[in-house]
Amino acid sequence: MPIEIIVLGPGDESVLASVAPGVFDHPVQPRLSTEFLNDPRHHLAVAIDAGCVVGFASAVHYVHPDKALELWINEVGVAPTHKRRGLGKKLLQTLLELGGRLGCQEAWVTTDRTNRPAMQLYASVGGTESPGETVAFSFVLDGAGPA
């Protein structure tokens, strides 16, 4: 049976019940899966082999008052057992096609220049590398939510 690539949506949480080791950074949390899949701006493409998720790519499409729609590719992960089979490329292409159907004018992703596999993946699907060094800042938030 060939590996299937699908985009998950509301009600597809059960697909994430069986995930191969090394696909995600941490164990999938059902509550967060439900929240993610129910948000129409969040997108999750998965690769499924014999009922088990062996790869994923996630993205968010953005709306801004003065800009065209954009698709931000958040992350791509493939199980070590399934690397070098073109799954990352197929997952990324699936999200880019979805972004186009949603009306996004541009998609973007950031990575470290030292992450050669990511650099090769993004170039292989036609990504244009920015000329300068990209710097990402992170901010720690307390996450306490409303009082």
Side-chain angles (χ1 to χ4, degrees), residues 127-146:
T128 303
E129 187 178 331
S130 62
E133 293 294 321
T134 299
V135 177
F137 289 88
S138 64
F139 301 89
V140 176
L141 307 176
D142 74 11

Side-chain angles (χ1 to χ4, degrees), residues 14 17 19 21 24 31 33 38 51 59 95 103-105 107 116 122 132 135 144:
S14 64
V19 177
F24 289 96
R31 180 185 64 80
S33 296
N38 282 316
L95 287 182
C104 294
Q105 300 293 308
R116 296 309 308 160
Y122 303 139
V135 177

Side-chain angles (χ1 to χ4, degrees), residues 57 73 76 86-97 107-109 117-129:
I73 306 299
V76 178
L87 292 179
K89 185 174 184 175
K90 289 177 185 173
L91 289 161
L92 191 54
Q93 288 171 324
T94 298
L95 287 182
L96 295 173
E97 290 167 7
W108 54 275
V109 64
M119 295 287 290
Q120 292 170 348
L121 170 62
Y122 303 139
S124 77
V125 294
T128 303
E129 187 178 331

Side-chain angles (χ1 to χ4, degrees):
M1 176 183 273
I3 295 174
E4 182 181 18
I5 307 290
I6 62 172
V7 177
L8 301 183
D12 289 334
E13 294 85 354
S14 64
V15 173
L16 298 174
S18 179
V19 177
V23 173
F24 289 96
D25 294 331
H26 306 286
V28 173
Q29 298 179 38
R31 180 185 64 80
L32 295 176
S33 296
T34 298
E35 184 175 343
F36 186 98
L37 295 175
N38 282 316
D39 187 323
R41 296 201 192 285
H42 290 179
H43 310 288
L44 186 67
V46 295
I48 302 172
D49 187 6
C52 183
V53 174
V54 296
F56 84 97
S58 62
V60 177
H61 76 272
Y62 284 91
V63 175
H64 196 274
D66 69 336
K67 295 174 181 65
L69 290 176
E70 296 180 327
L71 185 72
W72 172 57
I73 306 299
N74 179 41
E75 192 172 5
V76 178
V78 175
T81 56
H82 286 70
K83 288 186 185 277
R84 311 288 311 156
R85 296 188 192 185
L87 292 179
K89 185 174 184 175
K90 289 177 185 173
L91 289 161
L92 191 54
Q93 288 171 324
T94 298
L95 287 182
L96 295 173
E97 290 167 7
L98 175 63
R101 288 193 308 272
L102 291 169
C104 294
Q105 300 293 308
E106 183 177 25
W108 54 275
V109 64
T110 61
T111 191
D112 295 326
R113 287 196 181 279
T114 57
N115 186 342
R116 296 309 308 160
M119 295 287 290
Q120 292 170 348
L121 170 62
Y122 303 139
S124 77
V125 294
T128 303
E129 187 178 331
S130 62
E133 293 294 321
T134 299
V135 177
F137 289 88
S138 64
F139 301 89
V140 176
L141 307 176
D142 74 11

